[in-house]
Every structure is written in structure tokens, then in C-alpha cells.
Amino acid sequence: MTTTHNRAGRTRHRLAAIAAVIATTAALAAGAPAHAQPAPEAVSGFPAPTEHTQKAYDPEADFTAKWTRADARQLQAMSDPAAASRENSMPEEYTMPTVPQDFPDMSNEEVWVWDSWTLTDGTSAQPSFKGWEVVFSLVADRKLGFDDRHTYAKLGYFFRKADVAERPEDGGWTYGGLVFPDGASGAIFEDQSFSHQTEWSGSTRIFDGNKLRIFYTAVAFYRNDDGSNRKPYDPRLVQSEGRLFADENGVWMTGFRDQHDMLQADGEYYQTGAQNEFFNFRDPFTFEDPAHPGKTYMVFEGNSAFARGERACTEEDMGYAPGDPHAETADEAMDKGAHFQMANVGLAVAENAALTEWRFLPPILSANCVNDQTERPQIYIKDGKYYLFTITHRGTYAAGIDGPEGVYGFVGDGIRSDFQPVNRGSGLALGSPANLNFPAGTPFAPNPDQHPGQFQAYSHYVMPDGLVQSFIDTIGTSDDFVRGGTLAPTVRLDIEGDAVTVDRSYGTNGLGEWADIPSGYAHEIAGTSDPRPIG
């Protein structure tokens, strides 16, 4: 959950956070009735998007909002069919500015860097710690090929001085090393015969004093020499506790030896490896909901719990208005092969104060027959509205649907709502430049007709005040491209109701500084230096 802040000083940041929570709680307590939000008018040649009420439900309720086929088809409805080769076909107001190829590397070429997140408190505000800003990232050895990084990913961290007016081009970060002791994240797996064991994305919370809890995805792969699976890979949502320290020279961490296996996919709400060896179950993001004091919730990526290829999509997943001349039936969509894409966003609630025990709740969003990945979901609260942000690839859309890489957003009145997709009912909040008139290609072989920014950025993380951080993947087309492996320039979104647009006044034509992840206030702890460990 991210509560927005202005950036005029630590005190105002902290007061803004408190005021936002109070205002949100008061609005929800008042019990204002939800009203149906009229769907945008249909574009000629395309269906109308589904009408969504934004109405909030109890988090425990058996209600799941749907990102429907009718909604997602608005992506192509807003794409310019006349956009020529290498032009962006999507609306500029929803498109990330183009990132230049001459980018600096934040790690001084020590590691590949991709999915990243900040040090946060329970409201997802971003504190500094004893004068330092801290960010967590998935990292891998630069000796590996960039596309081999996923099976060797480890959780690393970076730090830099807070409240610095002018920074070096690379953002001024220092790589602190790996977070977990060697072998700690693999110890939870009963079957220790894995071929690879890795760490994937999550979130990090700071508590009283210097206590940290990291929520992340521990993954074990069981592969044969030819790369095939001898059994499905095993992802777990895991929590580990450690301590954060700092002195005038930098930041370090201890602990994280004990790993708590919080959740494994259940096969009832969330697809398992037995149902689909290519299932998704990862990216825990925890937060405290001001509407439910004393409760801690988690959103995460999942898939709807059907066997792979099962024809499970419904007319509700289609979402067309009765009589819409551009509608398709569920059978027609599944005949195209759309039923292989069954993404959802999961919800769980903590059952103890240590946040080691959790209970599944029904998904808060499904994208059946729409998309197969709803990665790194977040809850972001602004003006009493709850925004669900998630990221997805162009290549994970179902047959008959197309849209750019980037951030997708949904707005409602609570963490479980009849979420309305933002921006003309499409869901697109911030896409990389793309041309839907031409095939995508891949990051390691971009299509020559594509916009050079199609794969420029991914794994976007929405921060307070609408700031967005992502990593660079590939910039360019087949005849001239470079791979990334470092953080992209920060951009800013204006978030108002069901409209989310790029702030072109931020930075230079919308591009801020490289890897700029600012803290909003100072964590409440004495600023005295900690003694460095011996050895």
C-alpha cells in the first residue's frame, strides 16, 4: 500500500502520510455508497469496456473483480492503426518517455540489476535510515548472460546518502552485497536435490528500531541436463527477519538465517505445479489497511486454479454488454487458445503478529482469457481510493488481446473491490513505447519494425507521489540495440480517479534522474553510528 506524499521536507512528508491514512479511514468509515462508474464509450469497430462499480467488499468476501476481454480490447482500440514502422502507436499520455541508450550502470558493473523495491513502513512510505536511503534488488553475477539471470537471482541491496541535492549520473548508489547468508533461502525446501535455487521479488518492511522483515519468493528448480523439468519448479512465499545498521561510511545487515515458509500455492484459489508446471506464484507485497486496523494483508501474483488448458473461462470473463456487436463468446475466445492465459492477483491475511503465518483469501482480480502474468502487484491509496498496480509483458496476453509492456492499474473503494481498469477502461497506466501494428520480437532479438523503446523498461514499482522506478531491459531494434541490467530513469504519474497519466513536467520531458528512489522521511531511530562487526 502506497500513501502519497509531497516532497517539500521530512516533516511534511510524515504529516502527509498520517493525514492520508486518517482521511482514508474516515471516508471508509462514513460508509458512502458506491455508485456505478459509467464505462467509456465504445470506439468504432471495438466493443465497449465492461462497467465496474468500484464498490468495496469485505476482504474476506468471495468476490473477485475481473479484468475482462472487453476491458483489455480497449488497448487495441486506443492504438493508432496508421502508426508507421518504429513509431509508438499508443497514446503518449500513457507512455513512458523513451530512454536513451547511453545509460550509466548503478552497480559499477558488479552485478546485473533488475526487479527493485524500497525500504518501507506499514503504509509503504519510504524512510531513510540514519541518513541513508536503501533499496533492494534482484542481482546476478555479470559473468552470466543477462538472460540467464533468473535462475541464479539473489537478493542484494544498495545504499546512498539521503537529502543530497545533486547526485552522480548513476544515482550515487553503492552496492552493499547480498542480503541472505549463503544457503539460507534454500533451506526451506524438503527436497534438496534442486538443480538451481534462486530468490525472486518481494517487499521489505522496517519496524521499531532497526528490525527488518523481508518478504520474498524462494524458488527451487529441478531440471535435467537438457533443461527440461524432472518435476515442476517450487516457489514459496517466504519471510525472513534481520537487522539494519549504519555508520558514516554506509549500511549493512545481519540475521536472515531463519526463513519462514508462509504460503505455497493451494490448488483451490491459486494454481499449483501439479495443475500447470509453468504456473506463477510469487512477489509478496505486504501492507496495513487503514480501513481494517490491526490487520496486515499481502497481495501476490498467482494463476487461477485450473488445470493447464482447461476450458474454464466464462461469459463473465468476457465482460461484454448484452447485444454488443463486437462481442465474442467464451467458447469463441477459448477456440483461439485464450484459455491458456489465466492470471490473477492473490490476497492473504496475516494470522500472527510476527507475520510468519498467513491465510489465503480469494483473489482480488482475475484476468482469465486475458493475460497469464500479473507480476509484482501493489496496493496504493490516494484520496480514499485504492489502486491495484501490476505489471505484465506484451508476450503474455491471450490470443486476440495485445498491449504494451508496462504498468496496469485498477481503481476501487477498498482492497477488495469491483476494480475499474484505469484509462478508458483498458487498465494501461504506463506502457513502454510500442507499436501494436507490428510483432514484438524478443528482448534479445527486437523486431526491426518495433519502436526502439518497446523493451526499454520493466518491473515498474510505484512509489509515493506517483514516482515510478523500473529496470532497463533492451533499448533499440534488431540492427542497433543494447541490453540493460541497471535501473532506468525515474518517472512520475499523475493519479486522479480513473485517470493515470505521465507527468511530462517531471525531470526532462518526463524522464527524471537515473535510479532516483528518494526517501520521504527519517526513520525514528537515534542517528548514532553502529559499531562495525569484527571480521
Side-chain angles (χ1 to χ4, degrees):
M1 178 194 74
T2 303
T3 304
T4 56
H5 306 266
N6 62 44
R7 303 180 63 194
R10 290 179 176 176
T11 301
R12 277 196 288 167
H13 277 296
R14 191 60 171 160
L15 292 175
I18 296 170
V21 170
I22 292 172
T24 301
T25 305
L28 292 166
H35 299 286
Q37 305 297 313
E41 294 184 4
V43 174
S44 178
F46 291 89
T50 305
E51 290 192 7
H52 298 273
T53 66
Q54 299 187 21
K55 175 184 174 181
Y57 295 81
D58 189 281
E60 302 271 345
D62 188 16
F63 174 85
T64 298
K66 294 181 182 297
W67 186 19
T68 67
R69 296 271 295 186
D71 294 328
R73 286 178 66 187
Q74 306 311 307
L75 296 164
Q76 286 167 288
M78 66 174 65
S79 175
D80 179 3
S85 172
R86 303 196 179 191
E87 291 183 355
N88 175 40
S89 73
M90 303 305 292
E92 289 296 318
E93 61 266 33
Y94 312 145
T95 300
M96 182 176 177
T98 303
V99 178
Q101 287 188 344
D102 56 341
F103 51 82
D105 172 47
M106 67 181 291
S107 81
N108 196 27
E109 298 189 354
E110 288 191 66
V111 289
W112 298 122
V113 179
W114 63 109
D115 296 10
S116 300
W117 61 93
T118 62
L119 181 68
T120 65
D121 63 19
T123 70
S124 297
Q126 296 173 184
S128 60
F129 182 82
K130 296 191 176 185
W132 296 92
E133 294 170 341
V134 183
V135 63
F136 298 82
S137 301
L138 298 189
V139 299
D141 194 316
R142 286 243 174 185
K143 295 176 183 176
L144 293 169
F146 187 47
D147 294 303
D148 296 326
R149 68 192 187 277
H150 297 290
T151 50
Y152 297 94
K154 298 296 181 185
L155 178 56
Y157 72 99
F158 295 81
F159 56 87
R160 70 178 186 180
K161 278 289 187 183
D163 301 321
V164 173
E166 294 186 15
R167 299 190 184 275
E169 187 184 27
D170 64 4
W173 296 99
T174 297
Y175 177 53
L178 300 180
V179 174
F180 298 143
D182 188 41
S185 64
I188 63 170
F189 297 99
E190 298 81 10
D191 184 351
Q192 290 283 300
S193 69
F194 43 76
S195 55
H196 304 81
Q197 194 277 311
T198 190
E199 299 153 15
W200 286 352
S201 296
S203 54
T204 301
R205 293 263 304 276
I206 190 165
F207 293 80
D208 292 342
N210 67 342
K211 182 190 296 183
L212 294 185
R213 289 190 175 119
I214 293 180
F215 306 84
Y216 75 104
T217 316
V219 185
F221 291 93
Y222 300 88
R223 290 180 173 169
N224 300 309
D225 291 341
D226 64 0
S228 61
N229 291 332
R230 65 175 184 266
K231 74 173 190 176
Y233 84 117
D234 186 357
R236 313 276 182 95
L237 304 188
V238 178
Q239 189 248 75
S240 188
E241 184 177 306
R243 298 285 172 172
L244 181 64
F245 301 93
D247 63 14
E248 65 277 6
N249 296 315
V251 169
W252 68 97
M253 302 175 196
T254 64
F256 303 113
R257 291 193 177 277
D258 293 335
Q259 305 278 316
H260 302 281
D261 188 350
M262 298 184 298
L263 292 169
Q264 300 176 38
D266 63 348
E268 178 183 357
Y269 294 129
Y270 307 107
Q271 192 178 60
T272 66
Q275 293 169 316
N276 175 12
E277 65 174 322
F278 308 108
F279 74 116
N280 299 301
F281 183 72
R282 56 180 180 253
D283 304 344
F285 177 90
T286 73
F287 60 96
E288 298 167 12
D289 181 8
H292 298 87
K295 297 277 191 179
T296 298
Y297 294 94
M298 174 199 301
V299 289
F300 56 91
E301 177 189 4
N303 288 119
S304 300
F306 302 104
R308 177 171 171 80
E310 182 177 345
R311 292 176 65 91
C313 294
T314 67
E315 297 304 323
E316 289 74 22
D317 295 320
M318 303 299 105
Y320 298 107
D324 192 317
H326 302 288
E328 58 190 335
T329 66
D331 280 336
E332 288 171 337
M334 289 187 287
D335 286 345
K336 300 174 185 176
H339 55 297
F340 286 96
Q341 283 71 45
M342 303 290 282
N344 69 24
V345 173
L347 185 68
V349 60
E351 298 278 72
N352 66 344
L355 307 183
T356 58
E357 298 175 7
W358 294 77
R359 174 170 53 89
F360 281 129
L361 298 174
I364 58 173
L365 182 77
S366 66
N368 299 337
C369 272
V370 171
N371 204 310
D372 203 46
Q373 290 186 344
T374 45
E375 297 186 276
R376 300 197 65 194
Q378 300 172 249
I379 293 290
Y380 184 106
I381 296 179
K382 182 177 187 290
D383 299 332
K385 288 292 187 180
Y386 286 63
Y387 293 84
L388 169 62
F389 288 116
T390 184
I391 57 173
T392 201
H393 291 288
R394 186 178 181 190
T396 60
Y397 275 104
I401 305 290
D402 199 3
E405 311 255 317
V407 186
Y408 289 79
F410 308 83
V411 58
D413 293 327
I415 59 175
R416 183 178 300 282
S417 294
D418 183 12
F419 284 110
Q420 180 179 354
V422 302
N423 293 342
R424 311 186 203 176
S426 70
L428 179 63
L430 177 67
S432 284
N435 193 322
L436 302 192
N437 301 322
F438 298 94
T442 63
F444 52 84
N447 185 290
D449 290 314
Q450 263 306 323
H451 189 286
Q454 178 183 226
F455 297 117
Q456 68 179 15
Y458 194 64
S459 198
H460 306 73
Y461 180 81
V462 184
M463 302 181 290
D465 199 32
L467 299 179
V468 183
Q469 185 59 66
S470 57
F471 81 92
I472 298 172
D473 192 345
T474 297
I475 303 175
T477 54
S478 58
D479 56 349
D480 177 24
F481 69 92
V482 295
R483 302 306 301 275
T486 188
L487 294 191
T490 299
V491 298
R492 184 181 180 277
L493 295 176
D494 288 320
I495 303 170
E496 299 293 339
D498 63 357
V500 178
T501 55
V502 176
D503 180 359
R504 296 281 173 173
S505 70
Y506 180 79
T508 302
N509 192 32
L511 285 181
E513 300 300 316
W514 300 94
D516 188 24
I517 303 174
S519 58
Y521 70 97
H523 181 61
E524 295 178 2
I525 190 171
T528 53
S529 293
D530 295 309
R532 288 266 176 175
I534 297 174

